[in-house]
């Protein structure tokens, strides 16, 4: 597990921190050192960590907007088609295109489509489900869902160098640094 | 754990308020406390509750089977009262189902940090209440094999549902509410399922929790989109939760029947729904926090806050009752006026005054801090609130129907044993689902509770806060 072992099939290097404050400052340092293929792993969303990491804002809202409007259009089309084209029937003297009566379902379907877009769009952007990942081979990584904070720099990062990156992460105050195969 | 004695409801002039999570916990202790009951196995009481719930559930199964066999004739419906306990129970359960998403969505948008201790259980309760609610429209015509008439499905009769009817809006509103609540609940669960996966010892639970956790690894690039998705869901669910009971109220308000045809119905129904939902959350969580030793996570302050919402919405409901009467008099419509005099002083006066005492009078005790910080007292009041809210739907449905425009068609409505058994049985469904939920899933949102602890702030310093646990 020690940082001195080196193997060619290495995925990256994993550093463990013990507090939200440490990970925040460590992320700022890694960001400023110019690494690109790296990430922080935390048991809960640490406020402002995306800034410390230099991540751009999520584009999920645009997906939700487009899919939500599709829902709006679906509801309008469905109700108009049913009552004015497919099965025109006078019920309690209302017009076929009774727009005010269509509003509730237009609203409901917009929300339904948007909610699906928010959840499944988020999963797609995050490439989940992905039941296996190199990080899961680390014994210590299990605490990323509990009380520990991790930074992993991938070996494919152009700035990655086994010894120097390890030393760099140790210098940031990591409790433990290990290679992930 | 004698944390009930720990006071986090009063304001200290120097330190401000005590933290939401008591007992000087660190992150690991929170995880331990929440997952302990799941991995240690349930206490004996849990088995007792489960058997009780399953017994009730079988009562529901028998009642529904007999209904399908025999038809709606087994219920107490008569000629003027064609809508009986099926719709009453439906509205009752949907109303209860409002608290979960209100807590998760509206309190989230208002940045009410205290929601994190109770939102998971409240959302689960919402799902189970909506499941109970959907049972009743599903079975109420007694011919479950034509339930697909409610959905816009192309069929050989070239027949479509009527989108101009509030009853169809209701089908959409409630099923979409159920779906969105499920998505919201599941999204919130993903990080906690990962915690469960990492804590699980046996292979089968590792596999099961792991599969449902979808391979979540707490990546901050994931949290970024995850939090955005959560915010969007909250923003979407907020108008949704307000729309659902508004649309349920349209079932009544769009009909031209005295006592139903009023514009106050949508807000009044929404207030009542929140009122009953919060009461049900408290009814469930007061025993659960005791049983699972979560008094330091679901603290007295959490309960006090919920009591304040019950007090507010209960008073709104009381205001709506008064305003209905005022408009009945002020509107000078003799049928409307008669409907309301009949409601309060007619043959169903006993139901009306039960409703008023439970819904308007009982929450007024929560003006007193001593009473709204006493869990046992709160528990009793919440039971009364839900009795009252069931009676509200009974009063609205039955009193307006049993004496309509023609006195020759008046009748008195009485439920049969099958009405009662189906309703009591639905508690079996609700309780069974909830008991299984607290046994197998983290009933407290582990990741979210950690975010409201002071040391979760990246700019927090242990030295600033003498009472906080140091980092190690």
């Amino acid at each position: 597990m020690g940082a001195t072992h080196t193997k060619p099939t290495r995925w990256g290097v994993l550093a463990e921190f013990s507090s939200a404050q440490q990970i925040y400052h460590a992320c700022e340092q890694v960001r400023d050192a110019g690494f690109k293929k790296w990430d922080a792993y935390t048991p809960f969303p640490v406020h402002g960590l995306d800034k410390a990491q230099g991540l751009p804002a999520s584009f999920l809202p645009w997906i939700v907007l487009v899919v939500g409007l599709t829902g709006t259009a679906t509801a309008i089309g469905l109700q108009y088609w049913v009552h004015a084209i497919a099965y025109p029937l006078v019920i309690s003297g209302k017009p076929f295109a009774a727009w005010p009566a269509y509003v509730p379902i237009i609203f409901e379907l917009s929300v339904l489509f948007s909610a699906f877009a928010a959840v499944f769009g988020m999963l797609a952007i995050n490439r989940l489900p992905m039941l296996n990942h190199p990080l899961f081979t680390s014994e210590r990584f299990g605490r990323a869902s509990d009380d520990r904070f991790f930074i992993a720099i991938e070996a494919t990062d152009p700035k990655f160098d086994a010894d120097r990156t390890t030393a760099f992460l140790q210098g940031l105050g990591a409790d433990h640094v290990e290679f992930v195969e | 754990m004698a944390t009930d004695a720990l006071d986090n409801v009063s304001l200290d002039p120097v330190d401000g308020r005590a933290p939401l999570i008591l007992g000087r916990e660190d992150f690991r202790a929170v995880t331990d406390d929440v997952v302990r009951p799941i991995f240690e196995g349930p206490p004996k009481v849990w088995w007792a509750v489960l058997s009780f719930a399953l017994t009730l559930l079988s009562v529901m199964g028998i009642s529904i089977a007999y209904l399908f066999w025999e038809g709606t004739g087994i219920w107490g419906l008569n000629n003027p009262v064609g809508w009986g306990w099926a719709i009453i129970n439906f509205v009752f359960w949907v109303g209860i189902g409002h608290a979960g998403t209100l807590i998760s969505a509206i309190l989230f948008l208002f940045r009410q940090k205290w929601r994190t201790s109770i939102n998971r259980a409240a959302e689960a309760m919402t799902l189970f209440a909506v499941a109970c609610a959907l049972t009743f429209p599903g079975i109420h015509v007694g011919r479950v094999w034509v339930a697909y008439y409610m959905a816009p499905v192309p069929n050989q009769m070239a027949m479509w549902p009527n989108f101009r009817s509030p009853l169809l809006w209701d089908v959409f509103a409630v099923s979409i509410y159920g779906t969105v609540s499920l998505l919201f609940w599941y999204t919130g669960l993903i990080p906690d399922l990962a915690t469960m996966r990492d804590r699980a010892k046996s292979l089968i639970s590792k596999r099961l929790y792991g599969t449902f956790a979808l391979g979540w690894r707490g990546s901050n690039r994931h949290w970024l989109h995850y939090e955005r998705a959560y915010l969007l869901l909250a923003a979407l669910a907020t108008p949704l939760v307000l729309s659902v009971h508004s649309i349920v109220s349209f079932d009544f308000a769009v009909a031209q029947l005295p006592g139903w045809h009023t514009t106050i119905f949508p807000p009044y129904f929404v207030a009542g729904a929140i009122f009953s939902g919060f009461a049900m959350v408290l009814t469930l969580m007061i025993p659960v926090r005791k049983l699972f030793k979560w008094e330091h996570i679901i603290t007295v302050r959490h309960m006090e806050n919920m009591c304040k919402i019950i007090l507010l919405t209960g008073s709104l409901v009381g205001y709506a009752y008064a305003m209905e009467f005022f408009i009945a008099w002020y509107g000078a419509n003799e049928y409307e006026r008669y409907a309301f005099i009949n409601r309060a002083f007619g043959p169903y006066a006993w139901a009306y005054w039960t409703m008023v005492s439970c819904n308007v009078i009982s929450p007024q005790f929560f003006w007193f801090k001593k009473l709204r910080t006493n869990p046992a007292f709160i528990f009793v009041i919440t039971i009364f609130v839900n009795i009252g809210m069931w009676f509200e739907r009974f009063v609205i449905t039955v009193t307006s129907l049993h004496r309509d425009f023609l006195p020759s068609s008046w009748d008195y409505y009485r439920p049969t044993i099958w009405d009662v058994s189906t309703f009591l049985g639905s508690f079996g469904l609700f309780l069974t689902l909830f008991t299984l939920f607290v046994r197998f899933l983290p009933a407290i949102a582990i990741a979210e509770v950690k975010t409201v602890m002071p040391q979760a702030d990246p700019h927090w310093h242990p030295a600033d806060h003498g009472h906080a646990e140091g980092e190690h």
Side-chain angles (χ1 to χ4, degrees):
Chain A
M1 285 278 167
T4 45
H5 297 269
T6 47
K7 271 187 187 169
T9 55
R10 189 180 298 130
W11 177 80
V13 62
L14 180 69
E16 177 180 340
F17 298 86
S18 58
S19 75
Q21 296 75 39
Q22 283 182 330
I23 189 99
Y24 187 88
H25 296 300
C27 277
E28 286 178 322
Q29 306 283 324
V30 179
R31 174 198 67 195
D32 294 343
F35 288 101
K36 292 284 173 250
K37 301 204 73 171
W38 67 288
D39 206 350
Y41 301 85
T42 58
F44 54 84
V46 176
H47 190 69
L49 198 62
D50 42 341
K51 265 190 200 138
Q53 236 187 306
L55 298 179
S58 173
F59 56 92
L60 184 65
W62 295 106
I63 300 176
V64 173
L65 179 69
V66 171
V67 180
L69 289 176
T70 313
T72 314
T74 307
I76 294 173
L78 173 70
Q79 296 182 87
Y80 181 79
W81 184 79
V82 163
H83 284 317
I85 297 167
Y87 195 61
L89 186 69
V90 178
I91 300 163
S92 40
K94 287 174 197 154
F96 296 137
W99 296 112
Y102 297 164
V103 169
I105 290 181
I106 293 174
F107 168 76
E108 297 292 337
L109 281 192
S110 309
V111 168
L112 180 71
F113 277 55
S114 308
F116 273 109
V119 175
F120 292 101
M122 179 271 286
L123 292 178
I125 295 172
N126 289 345
R127 309 220 174 149
L128 294 174
M130 185 193 282
L131 296 188
N132 211 349
H133 192 275
L135 282 170
F136 291 139
T137 57
S138 159
E139 283 285 315
R140 307 178 73 99
F141 189 70
R143 285 180 77 172
S145 66
D146 188 355
D147 65 339
R148 292 292 159 147
F149 304 80
F150 293 85
I151 288 179
I153 301 181
E154 293 178 32
T156 48
D157 189 288
K159 280 190 172 285
F160 184 85
D161 173 280
D163 298 332
R164 267 187 292 163
T165 309
T166 306
F168 170 66
L169 285 169
Q170 268 158 348
L172 296 178
D175 296 343
H176 180 85
V177 180
E178 63 178 311
F179 287 120
V180 176
E181 309 302 327
Chain B
M1 208 174 293
T3 35
D4 262 346
L6 275 172
D7 172 31
N8 68 345
V9 291
S10 48
L11 268 171
D12 186 277
V14 181
D15 291 334
R17 286 232 247 202
L20 279 166
I21 311 302
L22 296 172
R24 304 186 179 184
E25 296 264 43
D26 58 17
F27 297 134
R28 177 145 243 218
V30 170
T31 317
D32 288 342
D33 289 342
V34 178
V35 305
R36 191 195 320 109
I38 300 173
F39 290 125
E40 272 185 4
K44 278 205 184 78
V45 190
W46 183 87
W47 289 104
V49 175
L50 183 69
S51 346
F52 174 69
L54 286 173
T55 312
L56 276 182
L57 182 62
S58 47
V59 169
M60 187 194 205
I62 293 165
S63 311
I64 292 179
Y66 185 51
L67 174 78
F68 290 165
W69 180 258
E70 195 67 27
T72 48
I74 65 165
W75 287 346
L77 302 172
N78 58 28
N79 204 0
V81 186
W83 261 10
W85 279 35
I87 186 133
I88 297 166
N89 299 340
F90 161 72
V91 182
F92 172 77
W93 280 118
V94 170
I96 287 175
H98 274 60
T101 309
L102 181 106
I103 290 170
S104 340
I106 300 184
L107 297 186
F108 181 77
L109 294 185
F110 282 118
R111 298 285 186 260
Q112 294 295 306
K113 289 181 171 180
W114 58 276
R115 72 182 265 292
T116 56
S117 294
I118 49 165
N119 71 330
R120 171 71 42 74
E123 285 168 36
M125 182 216 71
T126 284
L127 290 172
F128 308 149
V130 171
C132 293
L134 282 172
T135 309
F136 288 98
I139 64 169
H140 83 291
V141 287
R143 298 173 190 168
V144 74
W145 51 93
V146 293
Y148 74 92
Y149 281 14
M150 292 190 283
V153 184
N155 55 64
Q156 78 281 9
M157 295 168 287
M159 191 183 68
W160 292 92
N162 178 15
F163 286 108
R164 289 164 291 193
S165 159
L167 294 171
L168 191 68
W169 304 344
D170 212 10
V171 171
F172 274 77
V174 177
S175 51
I176 289 176
Y177 179 65
T179 312
V180 173
S181 301
L182 179 68
L183 286 174
F184 205 171
W185 180 69
Y186 181 64
T187 305
L189 260 174
I190 292 172
D192 288 358
L193 288 170
T195 307
M196 296 297 296
R197 169 200 66 203
D198 296 338
R199 282 297 184 96
K201 296 273 182 295
S202 76
L203 187 68
I204 180 137
S205 49
K206 252 187 208 310
R207 285 276 154 83
L208 277 174
Y209 289 118
T211 308
F212 285 102
L214 308 177
W216 183 263
R217 49 187 189 273
S219 152
N220 196 46
R221 289 172 199 266
H222 289 181
W223 279 120
L224 176 76
H225 301 292
Y226 174 92
E227 282 202 286
R228 187 47 54 144
Y230 203 83
L231 178 67
L232 284 166
L233 280 175
L236 290 164
T238 295
L240 185 68
V241 71
L242 299 178
S243 82
V244 177
H245 231 51
S246 299
I247 290 176
V248 170
S249 83
F250 291 161
D251 291 349
F252 299 94
V254 175
Q256 275 145 37
L257 208 61
W260 288 3
H261 191 61
T262 58
T263 50
I264 202 172
F265 260 35
Y268 150 44
F269 266 53
V270 171
I274 295 165
F275 180 57
S276 65
F278 270 70
M280 187 58 95
V281 174
L282 282 166
T283 310
L284 294 172
M285 292 322 282
I286 288 173
V288 166
R289 75 194 269 275
K290 191 105 202 148
L291 197 60
F292 291 154
K293 300 187 174 65
W294 286 336
E295 285 111 324
H296 59 302
I297 300 177
I298 302 169
T299 65
V300 175
R301 188 162 133 209
H302 291 95
M303 289 190 285
E304 193 201 8
N305 286 348
M306 284 194 272
C307 288
K308 286 177 182 169
I309 291 178
I310 287 178
L311 175 59
L312 171 72
T313 48
S315 306
L316 282 173
V317 166
Y319 171 80
Y321 294 161
M323 200 43 63
E324 280 187 316
F325 264 83
F326 172 74
I327 293 295
W329 165 74
Y330 191 68
N333 177 311
E334 60 176 309
Y335 294 106
E336 183 83 5
R337 204 175 279 186
Y338 178 75
F340 278 92
I341 291 170
N342 183 52
R343 210 175 252 191
F345 305 106
Y348 287 107
W350 59 274
Y352 182 81
W353 294 106
T354 308
M355 164 189 101
V356 171
S357 343
C358 292
N359 288 354
V360 186
I361 300 170
S362 75
Q364 302 307 322
F365 289 107
F366 290 154
W367 284 106
F368 304 100
K369 190 165 196 145
K370 251 207 158 58
L371 297 177
R372 66 170 187 257
T373 51
N374 178 341
F377 183 81
I378 301 172
F379 184 78
V380 173
I381 292 291
T382 58
I383 304 268
F384 277 109
V385 166
N386 268 319
I387 293 173
M389 284 310 292
W390 188 87
F391 270 97
E392 180 191 296
R393 280 64 176 249
F394 178 84
V395 165
I396 292 172
T397 308
V398 176
T399 63
S400 280
L401 284 171
H402 88 120
R403 287 185 172 177
D404 62 359
F405 301 97
L406 274 178
S408 61
S409 61
W410 289 1
D411 204 350
Y412 190 81
Y413 166 84
R414 270 187 200 85
T416 65
I417 183 79
W418 295 105
D419 284 300
V420 180
S421 66
T422 318
F423 176 55
L424 291 184
S426 66
F427 277 94
L429 176 61
F430 182 71
L431 270 181
T432 304
L433 292 170
F434 196 81
T435 356
L436 292 175
F437 159 73
V438 295
R439 168 70 183 84
F440 293 109
L441 290 172
I444 290 177
I446 307 171
E448 285 191 60
V449 164
K450 288 174 188 164
T451 61
V452 303
M453 295 165 70
Q455 62 267 44
D457 179 1
H459 305 295
W460 175 83
H461 282 287
D464 296 348
H465 302 264
H467 59 266
E469 190 121 347
E471 301 296 326
H472 31 242

